[in-house]
């Protein structure tokens, strides 16, 4: 039995998308930064950033490369 896991990431692009073609199929590589803010045990405000590498294929890859730029949400 197959299962599907879904995740929604909300963040900002850390670099312009890289669009390449593999065997004639467009591929777009995105670097996405997600951050969370919290208070540590001493009550100081902290921020932690995680980086995610995302691959987009096909026509969506072309659209991402055309419209997305560094810093966009």
């Amino acid at each position: 039995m197959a299962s599907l896991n879904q995740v929604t990431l909300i963040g900002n692009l850390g670099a312009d998308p890289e669009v390449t073609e593999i065997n004639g199929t467009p591929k777009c590589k995105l670097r996405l930064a997600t951050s969370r803010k919290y208070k540590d045990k001493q009550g100081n405000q902290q921020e932690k950033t995680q980086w995610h590498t995302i691959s987009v294929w096909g026509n969506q890859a072309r659209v991402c490369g055309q419209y997305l730029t560094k810093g966009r949400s």
Side-chain angles (χ1 to χ4, degrees):
M1 184 166 133
S3 65
L4 175 67
N5 293 321
Q6 182 175 345
V7 175
T8 302
L9 296 172
I10 300 173
N12 295 318
L13 291 178
D16 288 336
E18 299 173 24
V19 179
T20 57
E21 283 200 15
I22 298 176
N23 297 328
T25 302
K27 177 188 177 192
C28 182
K29 179 181 169 185
L30 305 170
R31 296 277 295 146
L32 184 74
T34 57
S35 298
R36 69 179 181 107
K37 294 180 182 178
Y38 62 95
K39 288 187 179 181
D40 62 15
K41 291 180 181 179
Q42 290 77 30
N44 299 321
Q45 188 76 17
Q46 300 289 324
E47 182 173 7
K48 183 174 181 179
T49 301
Q50 281 189 299
W51 288 94
H52 310 273
T53 302
I54 301 167
S55 295
V56 182
W57 295 85
N59 288 334
Q60 284 184 331
R62 284 193 183 105
V63 172
C64 288
Q66 188 175 5
Y67 292 104
L68 298 179
T69 56
K70 179 180 178 177
R72 283 205 50 181
S73 295

